[in-house]
């Protein structure tokens, strides 16, 4: 996000009218398809109930703009109620254009077949009702046509109170309720008023996309867009389908339903200056409360070239004043107040907003005073109220925890005097990273001192009962400060860079682990490549280590040092002997290291080793993941290691991997391949734990950015391997004795069967120095081999990540 100029935004979530807290956030349960009754258009002009009710005085006075030349009027609608008497019948007709129904006076014959929910077309004369009646005028029917029958006995909407839970089960019928149709008209009226207001303010209305590639809010609570499985995909229509791989995604990369249009509007504002939108928004929050909706419409706007937050608050204030004035002078507003006055007892118990309260709130939006206080002053006001015993809160007011709903309600009722109040300059750590820092630090209202804590140039607009109605802020447009804010919020771990780094390389994937959507095979291929590279390059030194660790070797196999061993073997046995047994390593190291690194990545991720910023160390996760990887891989590698060392010994008669394996199995049985496995684990588990812990710590110290750096991985791998190799050499000497016992000439050495027995033989014959035979070649072998191993593994990871970025 690189903004060229300071920007500000505000977001009005519900509507200004406190009467309907969810008008601008309609519930996610959208209307199902409605089967309309067949509509027959009459030749004569028709009038809506609203038109007749509004024009009632003029019609009765003789001015009949809605009537035919013969004075008759036609009305289409649905029967709300019908009362049938001996000589006359009365029907209440509603068509959704007004809260109050229109009364029709019918003859008993005309009322036949009419019931609640029936669609009718009534033609008659509009007359004044007798005095004392609830309605002022009524239509005396001359002709009644039934357009759609309805069975009143099974019709679910009866003349009684229906709970919202019950109405949600009738999405195709609930809009017919007078209050629900009033909500639709209210919504339409307010949207028209907002459109006019923004047009007068020279705003450009935009329509950002609904399907996006980002989670604007950063909470991860998004709906993912995916294809519905069909029979053509090879799945049964009614059977659950497995998750689709990336290649099967419709857009070839994950896409989501938008949670906010902010990012799009920020870009559009730099084109048009002032932009706004009222668009659907989706949140995958698993919370079944009126304050957490899965789908709603959110009003958002962005303004470029604004340097004072007060200008944005003035805009919000002007918008809500305009909406409130429009409601006060509109028929929808009158009907809304009328609905509150005529609420049933059940409905009244569920709301504290009476007719007078709603009217007073609208007036408070028009008259103000719209006070503006800082967050610090708000906390002090709340704490002072508690201290004076004026109120008690479930949550203690605190600068660290922010404002709770109960705090916001109290501020709106007291500071806002039952109307709106702006709270500004929230602490930086409570607000998103993209908000700019306040230019003027707020002062303590009691002491007059400047608050040293950094604050954000932002505001929340609080109103009674609803709490936060709108929010906005100045945007941080300076790239260094923006990156610093992202680091402070821990958001740059997905970028693989630090505040000192440039993001020009473009990768959004953390390098230090393979992407989370990568398959097990990708991890295994990277590990296999690393294992073969490690053992192949340093194999000659490993052969020297094996020969130098043999207990009671033949006189011709005694070497004074590494260089002496290389010269002697090359002169006596030939240079190719240094590579004898390599086939066993190639066959075993690939699968074993594939399991090794795959297990390492899986356990490390499960233990949280990939969490936090790149500067964070997770030694416990690294140690445990390394130990788990060793246990899994050594179970596969141990037989290959036995064969390798048998072929490495001086005077070995084995010429191939297969010959050695068959001979050992025939003479010593299957257990010979795993006699050293407990010792191997005793050595490799601490070796790997030490190596991985050291590697993670060293690599993060010298490469805090986490980007691919071959020098870092080579250096960290070599140092970590050398340290672990030196500390575990005694166990390696014991392992060599166990794995080469079959080639020994002494009965004691041939029959050794365990770690402690082998250790006792070495101590008795050579003392403690015997446990460190081959120390130098082991370290010399391990340091470059682990450096090569880690470098090869990290190079393979970098290759997969780069290929993934190209495919995206």
């Amino acid at each position: 996000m690189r903004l060229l100029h300071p920007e500000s935004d505000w977001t009005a979530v519900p509507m200004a009218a406190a009467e309907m807290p969810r008008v601008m956030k309609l519930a996610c349960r959208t209307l199902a398809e409605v089967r309309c009754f067949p509509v027959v258009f009459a030749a004569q002009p028709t009038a809506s109930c609203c038109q007749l009710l509004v024009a009632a005085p003029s019609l009765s006075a003789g001015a009949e703009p809605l009537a035919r030349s013969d004075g008759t009027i036609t009305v289409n609608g649905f029967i709300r109620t019908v009362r049938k008497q001996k000589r006359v019948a009365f029907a209440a007709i509603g068509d959704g254009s007004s809260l109050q129904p229109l009364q029709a006076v019918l003859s008993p014959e005309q009322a036949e077949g009419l019931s609640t929910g029936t669609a009718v077309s009534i033609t008659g004369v509009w007359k004044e009702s007798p005095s004392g009646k609830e309605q002022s005028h009524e239509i005396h029917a001359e002709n009644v046509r039934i357009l759609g029958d309805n069975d009143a006995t099974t019709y679910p909407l009866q003349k009684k109170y229906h709970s919202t839970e019950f109405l949600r089960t009738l999405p195709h019928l609930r809009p017919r309720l007078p209050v629900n149709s009033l909500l639709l008209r209210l919504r339409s009226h307010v949207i028209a008023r907002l459109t006019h207001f923004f047009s007068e303010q020279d705003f450009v209305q935009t329509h950002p996309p609904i399907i996006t590639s980002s989670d604007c809010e950063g909470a991860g609570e998004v709906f993912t867009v995916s294809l519905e499985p069909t029979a053509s995909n090879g799945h049964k229509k009614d059977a659950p389908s497995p998750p689709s791989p990336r290649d099967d995604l419709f857009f070839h990369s994950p896409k989501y339903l938008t949670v906010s249009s902010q990012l799009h509007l920020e870009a559009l504002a730099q084109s048009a200056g002032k932009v706004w939108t009222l668009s659907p928004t989706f949140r995958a929050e698993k919370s079944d409360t009126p304050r957490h909706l899965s789908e709603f419409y959110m009003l958002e706007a962005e303004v470029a070239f604004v340097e004072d937050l007060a200008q944005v608050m003035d805009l919000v204030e002007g918008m809500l004043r305009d909406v409130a004035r429009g409601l006060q002078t509109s028929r929808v507003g009158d009907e809304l107040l009328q609905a509150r006055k005529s609420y049933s007892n059940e409905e009244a118990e569920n709301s504290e907003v009476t007719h007078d309260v709603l009217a007073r709130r609208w007036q408070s939006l028009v008259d103000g005073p719209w006070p503006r206080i800082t967050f610090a002053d708000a906390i002090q006001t709340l704490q002072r109220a508690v201290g004076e015993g004026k109120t008690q809160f479930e949550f203690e007011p605190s600068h660290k925890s922010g404002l709770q709903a109960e705090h916001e309600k109290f501020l709106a009722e007291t500071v806002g005097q039952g109307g709106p109040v702006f709270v500004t300059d929230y602490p930086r750590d409570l607000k998103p990273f993209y908000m700019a820092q306040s230019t003027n630090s707020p002062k303590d209202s009691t002491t007059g001192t400047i608050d040293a804590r950094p604050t954000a140039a932002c505001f929340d607009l609080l109103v009674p009962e609803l709490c936060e109605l709108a929010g906005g802020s100045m945007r941080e447009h300076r790239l260094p400060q923006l990156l610093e804010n992202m680091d402070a919020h821990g958001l740059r771990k997905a970028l693989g860079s630090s505040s000192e780094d440039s993001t020009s390389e473009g990768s959004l994937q953390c390098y230090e682990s393979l992407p989370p959507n990568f398959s097990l095979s990708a991890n295994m291929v990277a590990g296999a490549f690393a294992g073969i590279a490690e053992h192949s390059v340093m194999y000659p030194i490993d052969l020297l280590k094996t020969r130098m660790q043999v207990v009671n070797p033949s006189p011709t196999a005694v070497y004074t040092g590494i260089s002496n061993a290389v010269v002697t073997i090359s002169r006596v046995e030939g240079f190719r002997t240094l590579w004898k047994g390599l086939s066993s390593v190639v066959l075993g190291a690939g699968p074993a290291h594939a399991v090794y690194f795959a297990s390492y990545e899986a356990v490390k991720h499960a233990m949280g080793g990939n969490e936090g910023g790149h500067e964070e160390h997770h030694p416990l996760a690294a140690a445990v993941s390394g130990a788990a990887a060793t246990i899994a891989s050594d179970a596969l590698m141990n037989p290959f290691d036995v064969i390798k060392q048998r072929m490495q010994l001086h005077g070995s008669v084995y010429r191939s991997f297969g010959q050695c394996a068959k001979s050992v199995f025939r003479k010593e049985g299957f257990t010979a391949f795993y006699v050293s496995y407990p010792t191997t684990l005793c050595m490799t588990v601490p070796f790997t734990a030490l190596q991985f812990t050291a590697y993670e710590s060293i690599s993060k110290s010298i490469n805090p950015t986490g980007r691919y750096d071959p020098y870092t991985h080579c250096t960290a791998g070599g140092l970590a391997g050398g340290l672990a190799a030196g500390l575990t050499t005694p166990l390696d000497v014991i392992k060599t004795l166990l794995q080469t016992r079959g080639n020994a000439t002494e009965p004691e050495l041939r029959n050794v069967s365990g770690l402690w027995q082998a250790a006792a033989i070495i101590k008795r014959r050579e003392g403690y120095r015997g446990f460190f035979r081959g120390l130098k070649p082991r370290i010399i072998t391990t340091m470059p081999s682990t450096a090569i191993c880690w470098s090869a593994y990290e190079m393979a990871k970098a290759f997969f990540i780069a290929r993934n970025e190209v495919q995206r």
Side-chain angles (χ1 to χ4, degrees):
M1 186 189 306
R2 300 186 182 184
L3 305 183
L4 302 178
H5 304 286
E7 294 190 3
S8 57
D9 106 305
W10 55 270
T11 301
V13 180
M15 265 338 286
E19 145 65 13
M20 297 299 174
R22 295 181 294 280
V23 170
M24 297 301 288
K25 280 189 173 183
L26 291 182
C28 68
R29 305 166 184 86
T30 57
L31 295 180
E33 179 183 359
V34 179
R35 290 187 177 180
C36 299
F37 290 104
V39 178
V40 179
F41 293 96
Q44 64 270 23
T46 60
S48 68
C49 294
C50 178
Q51 289 175 313
L52 291 174
L53 293 174
V54 171
S58 61
L59 288 175
S60 60
E64 302 176 351
L66 301 178
R68 296 193 313 169
S69 58
D70 59 358
T72 60
I73 292 175
T74 298
V75 176
N76 298 328
F78 295 92
I79 301 294
R80 292 188 185 176
T81 60
V82 59
R83 293 180 292 115
K84 299 178 181 180
Q85 301 177 2
K86 289 184 178 180
R87 298 181 179 181
V88 68
F90 300 94
I93 312 297
D95 61 357
S97 63
S98 65
L99 181 67
Q100 294 298 324
L102 184 150
Q103 178 165 288
V105 181
L106 314 170
S107 65
E109 293 76 14
Q110 292 173 330
E112 288 184 5
L114 299 185
S115 62
T116 301
T118 301
V120 296
S121 177
I122 299 178
T123 301
V125 180
W126 186 248
K127 293 184 179 181
E128 187 173 354
S129 300
S131 60
K133 300 295 181 179
E134 181 178 352
Q135 72 284 349
S136 62
H137 292 74
E138 57 194 14
I139 183 171
H140 290 249
E142 296 180 355
N143 181 43
V144 177
R145 289 190 301 144
I146 297 178
L147 304 180
D149 294 321
N150 189 63
D151 185 0
T153 59
T154 60
Y155 189 61
L157 297 181
Q158 300 295 328
K159 191 178 179 180
K160 63 178 182 178
Y161 171 75
H162 298 292
S163 66
T164 55
E165 289 75 14
F166 171 73
L167 292 176
R168 289 194 184 103
T169 65
L170 305 169
H172 61 301
L173 293 177
R174 62 180 179 179
R176 293 194 193 178
L177 290 179
V179 173
N180 284 348
S181 62
L182 174 59
L183 286 179
L184 295 177
R185 297 196 304 279
L186 172 63
R187 175 187 176 88
S188 177
H189 169 81
V190 173
I191 291 176
R193 192 82 184 188
L194 289 171
T195 303
H196 179 266
F197 172 82
F198 282 115
S199 178
E200 292 292 314
Q201 299 295 323
D202 295 327
F203 274 75
V204 176
Q205 185 177 13
T206 63
H207 299 87
I210 304 301
I211 300 177
T212 67
S213 58
S214 63
D215 172 13
C216 185
E217 294 290 329
E221 297 168 334
V222 295
F223 289 102
T224 303
V225 179
S226 61
L227 289 172
E228 181 180 2
T230 60
S232 60
N233 299 121
H235 303 295
K236 294 181 179 179
K237 186 174 181 180
D238 298 330
S241 61
S244 299
R246 177 178 294 268
D247 293 340
D248 290 342
L249 295 174
F250 184 80
F251 297 101
H252 306 296
S253 62
K255 294 294 181 287
Y256 316 99
L257 296 180
T258 180
V259 296
S260 172
S261 298
Q262 174 185 320
L263 294 179
H264 297 281
L265 292 178
E266 286 180 353
L268 295 173
Q270 297 179 65
S271 171
K274 300 178 180 180
V275 294
W276 76 286
T277 187
L278 180 62
S279 59
T281 302
F282 306 88
R283 303 287 175 87
E285 299 181 65
K286 294 183 179 179
S287 181
D288 188 17
T289 69
R291 297 177 63 87
H292 296 84
L293 299 177
S294 299
E295 177 186 353
F296 56 92
Y297 272 71
M298 182 156 65
L299 177 64
E300 299 177 275
E302 294 283 342
V303 186
F305 304 105
V306 173
E307 299 183 2
D308 188 359
L309 186 65
Q311 294 178 254
V312 187
M313 290 188 284
D314 291 342
L315 183 65
V316 176
E317 181 177 332
M319 183 203 72
L320 295 178
R321 284 182 190 271
D322 186 77
V323 171
R325 289 194 187 98
L327 288 173
Q328 288 180 325
T329 58
S330 67
R331 177 170 178 79
V332 171
D334 292 339
E335 289 186 326
L336 206 56
L337 295 173
Q338 181 183 350
R340 280 296 174 183
K341 185 177 293 185
S342 60
Y343 255 4
S344 63
N345 293 333
E346 294 91 340
E347 292 168 317
E349 291 176 359
N350 295 332
S351 176
E352 300 177 356
V353 184
T354 63
H355 170 279
D356 295 335
V357 171
L358 180 58
R360 185 168 60 251
R361 288 182 179 178
W362 289 354
Q363 194 61 42
S364 68
L365 288 175
V366 174
D367 296 338
W370 296 82
R372 301 175 182 182
I373 62 173
T374 65
F375 176 84
D377 289 340
I379 294 297
Q380 291 175 0
T381 300
L382 297 170
Q383 292 175 343
R384 184 167 54 251
V386 173
E388 295 174 356
K390 296 181 179 179
T391 187
Q392 292 293 327
F393 298 114
E394 181 181 354
F395 299 95
E396 181 181 357
S398 170
H399 290 275
K400 297 181 179 180
S401 58
L403 298 177
Q404 303 295 325
E406 57 181 347
H407 304 152
E408 295 176 340
K409 290 180 180 179
F410 180 83
L411 292 173
E413 293 293 346
T414 56
V415 180
Q417 303 175 24
V421 54
F422 286 104
V423 179
T424 66
D425 300 296
Y426 281 74
R428 285 282 300 277
D429 55 353
L430 297 181
K431 289 298 181 179
F433 73 94
Y434 53 76
M435 293 186 178
Q437 185 171 340
S438 301
T439 55
N440 298 320
S441 300
K443 292 184 178 181
D444 190 312
S445 59
T446 57
T447 63
T449 59
I450 295 178
D451 195 338
R453 289 165 297 190
T455 58
C458 64
F459 69 85
D460 283 345
L461 178 63
L462 311 180
V463 295
E465 189 177 10
L466 295 183
C467 303
E468 181 185 352
L469 181 67
S473 73
M474 302 295 292
R475 295 285 187 255
E476 180 57 79
H477 63 284
R478 299 161 297 179
L479 180 60
Q481 286 78 359
L482 188 62
L483 296 178
E484 182 181 346
N485 294 347
M486 293 174 69
D487 286 334
H489 285 76
L491 296 176
R492 297 194 69 205
K493 61 182 180 180
L495 293 175
S497 59
S498 65
S499 56
E500 293 82 9
D501 252 345
S502 169
T503 58
S504 58
E505 295 184 32
S507 173
L508 297 182
Q509 174 61 45
C510 175
Y511 166 71
E512 279 301 331
S513 62
L514 283 173
N517 61 320
F518 266 49
S519 63
L520 176 63
S521 61
N523 281 287
M524 297 184 73
V525 169
F529 176 70
I532 294 174
E534 169 194 0
H535 288 282
S536 299
V537 175
M538 299 306 299
Y539 187 81
I541 307 299
D542 183 68
L543 181 140
L544 301 182
K545 175 192 70 85
T546 299
R547 292 198 177 188
M548 295 177 72
Q549 288 181 341
V550 171
V551 177
N552 192 24
S554 64
T556 56
V558 176
Y559 312 108
T560 59
I562 297 177
S563 58
N564 174 256
V566 173
V567 172
T568 301
I569 294 173
S570 300
R571 185 182 67 250
V572 177
E573 304 176 51
F575 182 76
R576 294 182 59 184
T577 304
L578 294 173
W579 303 92
K580 192 175 182 180
L582 179 62
S583 59
S584 178
V585 169
V586 173
L587 290 174
H593 277 70
V595 173
Y596 185 89
F597 281 104
S599 302
Y600 166 69
E601 294 288 358
V603 176
K604 179 184 175 184
H605 178 74
M607 293 196 62
N610 294 327
E611 296 178 358
H614 299 300
E615 72 283 353
E616 294 189 24
H617 292 186
H618 298 279
L620 178 61
V624 174
S625 59
T630 298
I631 294 173
S633 65
D634 279 351
L636 182 60
M637 185 62 188
N638 208 81
F640 295 94
D641 199 47
V642 170
I643 297 171
K644 178 200 71 172
Q645 289 200 321
R646 294 290 181 96
M647 296 179 70
Q648 286 178 335
L649 292 177
H650 174 71
S652 174
V653 297
Y654 304 118
R655 299 299 179 187
S656 66
F657 168 83
Q659 178 194 6
C660 183
K662 291 179 181 178
S663 177
V664 173
F665 179 75
R666 185 173 59 253
K667 293 179 180 180
E668 304 175 50
F670 181 77
T671 57
F673 294 108
Y674 284 96
V675 66
S676 63
Y677 182 59
T679 304
T680 300
L681 292 182
C682 289
M683 178 193 70
T684 54
V685 168
F687 171 86
T688 309
L690 288 170
Q691 179 196 359
F692 276 59
T693 303
Y695 174 79
E696 292 287 341
S697 300
I698 295 172
S699 62
K700 287 184 179 294
S701 297
I702 63 181
N703 183 25
T705 66
R707 292 187 179 275
Y708 174 63
D709 180 11
Y711 298 104
T712 294
H713 302 301
C714 182
T715 303
L719 292 176
L723 175 64
L727 295 176
T728 57
T729 296
L731 291 169
D732 189 52
V733 173
I734 296 173
K735 186 192 78 165
T736 300
L737 173 59
L738 291 170
Q739 292 190 159
T740 60
R741 63 177 187 169
N743 290 50
T745 57
E746 298 182 26
E748 183 182 30
L749 299 180
R750 289 184 62 86
N751 296 324
V752 64
S753 60
L755 184 151
W756 298 110
Q757 184 181 2
I761 292 174
I762 294 172
K763 182 177 183 298
R764 185 175 66 254
R765 293 194 175 198
E766 303 180 33
Y768 288 107
R769 292 185 59 184
F771 289 103
F772 291 93
R773 283 186 293 106
L775 175 64
K776 290 182 180 180
R778 175 169 167 78
I779 293 177
I780 293 175
T781 301
T782 305
M783 287 189 67
S785 64
T786 51
I788 293 170
C789 177
W790 279 108
S791 299
Y793 176 61
E794 304 291 1
M795 183 175 68
K797 283 170 40 175
F799 166 76
F800 282 121
I801 293 173
R803 188 181 67 171
N804 179 62
E805 292 295 330
V806 172
Q807 291 177 347
R808 293 182 62 183

